[in-house]
Amino acid sequence: MAQRLTDPPYLKFPLRINGGPKLASRAEHIRGQIEQVLYTLSGERVFRPEFGAGVKALVFEPNASALWQVTEKRISASLIESLAGEVEPKSIKVRVEGDNERLTITISYVLAAIGFEDQHQFTFSAGS
């Protein structure tokens, strides 16, 4: 059966065992890749030990601008490598902010080839 032009051409993340593979739009696919970088701890992947930012662990660190700056650089470096070919590397902007027990990360980027700008916001707290 031929694929319709409106069908999304990307695999949806996270991959699931039940129900078979799901498809996603390009924007959903890239958001899934960003989530993988944010939620994966450095060293968690055996053959890619530098992959990931491990942001959930940062919720328990002192919430200060010095931590935010280091986190921004770590996330940017991981995203540049992970999104190569999908996103213009120089367009990736990461902003990290926090208050009390909450860490908010805003990521903006421009899709390669089509120039579409997109932005995602992620909030992490000690309870989630």
Side-chain angles (χ1 to χ4, degrees), residues 88-102:
E88 294 290 336
K90 292 182 181 182
S91 73
I92 296 174
K93 305 252 184 307
V94 178
R95 190 176 79 236
V96 177
E97 301 170 311
D99 62 11
N100 298 329
E101 297 179 0
R102 185 172 298 150

Side-chain angles (χ1 to χ4, degrees), residues 12-104:
K12 186 172 184 168
F13 291 107
L15 298 175
R16 306 245 190 249
I17 295 173
N18 297 338
K22 304 288 184 211
L23 297 178
S25 67
R26 186 175 187 188
E28 290 172 328
H29 176 74
I30 291 172
R31 181 181 171 90
Q33 288 180 299
I34 291 170
E35 287 177 355
Q36 285 184 48
V37 168
L38 294 178
Y39 287 101
T40 303
L41 293 170
S42 294
E44 187 174 330
R45 292 191 177 184
V46 176
F47 294 106
R48 290 185 68 192
E50 73 287 346
F51 181 87
V55 173
K56 285 197 81 153
L58 297 176
V59 172
F60 301 102
E61 296 293 326
N63 203 347
S65 63
L67 173 69
W68 303 342
Q69 292 170 357
V70 171
T71 303
E72 286 174 0
K73 290 180 193 292
R74 182 187 303 168
I75 293 170
S76 292
S78 290
L79 289 176
I80 287 170
E81 180 187 339
S82 298
L83 299 176
E86 294 281 351
V87 171
E88 294 290 336
K90 292 182 181 182
S91 73
I92 296 174
K93 305 252 184 307
V94 178
R95 190 176 79 236
V96 177
E97 301 170 311
D99 62 11
N100 298 329
E101 297 179 0
R102 185 172 298 150
L103 192 65
T104 302

